[in-house]
Amino acid sequence: MDNKFLVVLEQRNGIIKKSSFEIYAKAKEFSANTDAVLIGASIVDESQLKQAGVSEVTFIKNNDLENYSSSAYTNILVDFIKQNSYEFVFIANTALGKDLAPRLAAKLDCGITMDCTNLTEDAGNLLATRPVFAGKLLLQQKLTSTVKIFNIRPNSFGFTAGSEVETKINVKETSDICLSVKTVDVKKAGGKLDVAEADVIVSGGRGMKSAENFNHIESLASELNAAVGASRAVVDAGWRPHAEQVGQTGKTVSPNLYIAVGISGAIQHIAGMRSSKYIVAINKDKDAPIFQIADYGIVADAFDILPVLTEEIKKIKQ
């Protein structure tokens, strides 16, 4: 494709999110004419761009944009997209991307597909696939507007850093920004992995019986370098924070491995993790709905299985 592609990179605390590099690599498969743009106060570690194979990026700089501003980001990107006549714009389906992508679409009066899990080429255009009806069906969409925006679910394509490239950074300082909305501070809970971007997730449900019993989940997650997730029932009970909730009213995830422990598999939970590459279910109820979508299932008491599984993984790692 000869169309002009733009990937919006996302940076937080000086680290560019892996989901941004994943989208950039996918966009390059469709078009060599792919640019990247990054907004902020500074680029803390330029080596990230080199290791991810980003050959050129436009860095739009303003000292007031150390944190995200929906108003400023929207106006800056609308002008940038118009000035450079981009036809395809890609943004990750992160908290920032969910807020920013629809704002851009409204300002540009263009088509948008949210939460895409796949992209395929079709006669000079892109077909975007996204789950609908709580993940029961997959909808394929073709945008016909001049500018097309695709909001991509993290981990949909995977990303492995290849050989380093020299990255050209075009710095564009801007003073004309709208700060009607500005993020004052961002606090991350204890440095934990975000379930929305983790490659491996170990989730616990009501079958864990208490908040204290989640130490079994945390031990297994630690050995797997995984994020800890939870069902809505667990979060509603106050056992785990809402940031860990997976499901229709929580976060939508797409890891390489999802381990569901003591989770029955309500449709609202399944909607948030159905696109995981591999699903392992541990539940003592052999008729639990989670087994219908699981690649591997263990019918047993979680408190018998988790300590053994954790120890076996320790042995493998050694």
Side-chain angles (χ1 to χ4, degrees):
M1 296 174 68
D2 296 326
N3 311 76
K4 294 191 71 175
F5 283 41
L6 177 66
V7 177
V8 180
L9 305 180
E10 180 181 345
Q11 179 179 238
R12 180 172 293 179
N13 297 328
I15 299 174
I16 299 174
K17 286 184 172 284
K18 187 189 77 171
S19 54
S20 294
F21 294 139
E22 175 188 1
I23 295 170
Y24 180 82
K26 188 65 177 179
K28 291 279 279 189
E29 291 179 14
F30 293 114
S31 175
N33 195 10
T34 296
D35 296 332
V37 62
L38 180 65
I39 301 173
S42 63
I43 301 178
V44 177
D45 185 3
E46 296 179 9
S47 65
Q48 301 171 79
L49 297 163
K50 296 178 181 180
Q51 293 166 2
V54 179
S55 55
E56 187 171 355
V57 60
T58 298
F59 175 51
I60 301 177
K61 181 180 180 182
N62 184 285
N63 291 333
D64 289 323
L65 294 178
E66 184 175 349
N67 291 318
Y68 172 64
S69 164
S70 57
S71 55
Y73 272 52
T74 300
N75 291 342
I76 287 170
L77 286 172
V78 165
D79 290 342
F80 188 70
I81 290 166
K82 287 181 176 179
Q83 289 167 8
N84 294 279
S85 302
Y86 290 110
E87 299 167 76
F88 294 87
V89 180
F90 300 86
I91 306 172
N93 186 44
T94 58
L96 183 151
K98 289 177 183 177
D99 180 73
L100 180 59
R103 293 174 183 273
L104 291 177
K107 287 274 190 177
L108 292 166
D109 192 24
C110 70
I112 181 172
T113 297
M114 295 293 293
D115 198 24
C116 304
T117 56
N118 194 27
L119 293 169
T120 54
E121 187 177 348
D122 176 45
N125 208 324
L126 291 181
L127 293 179
T129 301
R130 62 183 295 264
V132 293
F133 298 115
K136 292 181 180 178
L137 296 175
L138 294 176
L139 175 69
Q140 201 169 57
Q141 290 182 316
K142 181 178 180 179
L143 303 179
T144 58
S145 53
T146 302
V147 179
K148 306 162 185 68
I149 298 178
F150 299 93
N151 178 246
I152 312 294
R153 181 182 296 186
N155 291 323
S156 292
F157 308 120
F159 171 74
T160 303
S163 56
E164 289 190 15
V165 301
E166 283 301 316
T167 304
K168 180 182 178 183
I169 301 176
N170 304 311
V171 180
K172 180 181 178 183
E173 296 201 30
T174 180
S175 57
D176 184 21
I177 61 172
C178 172
L179 284 174
S180 59
V181 179
K182 181 183 178 181
T183 303
V184 177
D185 191 21
V186 177
K187 292 184 179 179
K188 189 174 181 180
K192 294 180 180 179
L193 289 171
D194 184 352
V195 291
E197 296 200 8
D199 289 326
V200 181
I201 299 172
V202 183
S203 275
R206 192 157 30 195
M208 295 308 296
K209 297 182 179 179
S210 72
E212 292 72 25
N213 287 332
F214 261 78
N215 68 309
H216 296 292
I217 298 286
E218 290 174 340
S219 295
L220 179 57
S222 177
E223 292 301 323
L224 292 170
N225 192 26
V228 173
S231 67
R232 177 176 176 174
V234 164
V235 173
D236 285 350
W239 297 354
R240 304 299 295 184
H242 184 267
E244 295 179 2
Q245 184 178 327
V246 174
Q248 203 166 31
T249 54
K251 292 183 178 179
T252 301
V253 301
S254 188
N256 289 319
L257 174 62
Y258 188 89
I259 303 177
V261 185
I263 295 175
S264 62
I267 189 61
Q268 291 85 356
H269 185 80
I270 289 174
M273 44 69 73
R274 193 176 202 130
S275 61
S276 303
K277 305 299 184 296
Y278 296 98
I279 299 171
V280 176
I282 302 172
N283 201 299
K284 63 182 180 181
D285 179 8
K286 64 180 178 60
D287 297 318
I290 193 71
F291 287 121
Q292 296 176 15
I293 65 162
D295 297 287
Y296 302 96
I298 302 173
V299 180
D301 192 313
F303 302 111
D304 294 331
I305 294 296
L306 287 178
V308 175
L309 185 57
T310 302
E311 284 303 313
E312 287 302 315
I313 290 171
K314 280 184 182 178
K315 291 178 185 177
I316 292 170
K317 289 172 67 176
Q318 290 171 354

